[in-house]
Every structure is written in structure tokens, then in C-alpha cells.
Amino acid sequence: MADQIETIPRFICDDHLGKLARYLRVSGFDTLFENDIDNSRLIQFSLDDKRYILTRDRRLLERRLVRYFFLIEHNLWPDQLKAVLDNFDLSINRSRMFTRCLEDNTLIVPVEKETIREIVHPHTYQHHSDYRHCPTCMRVYWSGSHIKAMTKRLSEAGIPILD
């Protein structure tokens, strides 16, 4: 069927679900998010890219063009994330985590350490060797304490991470 959604769903979050969008990206799931996105644009992205709309807005779901959606009924991002994972029968795999830019959702790619010397703090440069960057916004990523902190938050929320 030509109108079917792909096996690993892609998402677009309404403007009330920024933390959920961030943790879906942390988990490696293709998730669009824009602050102050209007409903017409949200629906158009969903239709054009065959993305599930994740929303807390019941009125949005009454619009006849909304085809792919999941209503988020929880207030806190850990509960929202668990609900999305459960609903779509998804799991978080360590190998897929931190593969997307947390700012713009682009897949991040490895970069040679020497090319980012002037961009990162000297201490960071000295103590890390594996760097990635976003080809869209040029943000640089490395496996620092922020990675451990986000992983710990997922674990403390009772969200399993598979190896």
C-alpha cells in the first residue's frame, strides 16, 4: 500500500512536546520539532513525510487531514516517551543512541579530530578522540558527561536501553 508508514516510524511533535522530541532524538528516532509550529504546517509535514504527529491537542485530531497520529496523555517526558515506545512497539538500542543532532534532527557523522581543534574547548580536545558533527548546523558532539547524564536520566525513569 503506497500510503503506509515505514517500519520504524518517523515523528513530528507539536510545540508542547519539546522534551519528548529531544529524548526521541537522543534515542535515535527521526523526530521533527519546531517551537510555535502551527497546526496546518504540522499536518502538512506529517502528510508529506509520512510522519506520526505526536500531540497533546485533541482538537488537532479532529481535523480530517490528520492521518497518522498518537495522542500524548501524560504531562512528563519520561511517561510520554514510555507511551510512544509502547504504542509503536519500539525499544531504545544503545547503538542507535546519539546518532541524530539534538538541535535539528540531522544524522550526525564522524569527523576527524584535527578539524575541530579550534571549535571545542582545549580540555575537551585533549581528553576525547571520537567526535561527530551535524552537517546541517555544524554542531560538534563527543562522548562527554552530557551523554552519561542523559543515559542516566533514561535509566532512572525506568526506560530500558538495550545493548
Side-chain angles (χ1 to χ4, degrees), residues 1-62:
M1 182 175 178
D3 202 29
Q4 211 168 4
I5 293 275
E6 297 176 23
T7 307
I8 298 177
R10 299 181 315 154
F11 304 107
I12 183 166
C13 292
D14 74 17
D15 59 356
H16 301 289
L17 297 172
K19 273 204 172 161
L20 173 61
R22 184 170 191 82
Y23 276 93
L24 283 166
R25 288 176 182 173
V26 162
S27 303
F29 296 107
D30 185 345
T31 307
L32 296 181
F33 174 78
E34 290 182 16
N35 280 321
D36 301 321
I37 190 169
D38 66 63
N39 286 345
S40 296
R41 190 156 179 224
L42 188 75
I43 293 167
Q44 196 60 53
F45 271 122
S46 172
L47 294 172
D48 290 348
D49 295 349
K50 293 190 170 106
R51 292 179 178 276
Y52 282 96
I53 297 172
L54 303 179
T55 185
R56 298 197 44 148
D57 183 357
R58 291 180 186 276
R59 288 179 297 159
L60 171 67
L61 303 180
E62 295 171 1

Side-chain angles (χ1 to χ4, degrees), residues 94-123:
R94 196 169 304 279
S95 63
R96 191 172 54 225
M97 290 179 72
F98 304 105
T99 56
R100 294 196 164 272
C101 178
L102 300 182
E103 297 302 315
D104 64 31
N105 193 48
T106 303
L107 285 170
I108 58 175
V109 296
V111 62
E112 293 295 323
K113 182 177 179 174
E114 296 75 32
T115 63
I116 51 87
R117 176 187 287 275
E118 302 300 319
I119 299 171
V120 298
H121 190 277
H123 182 274

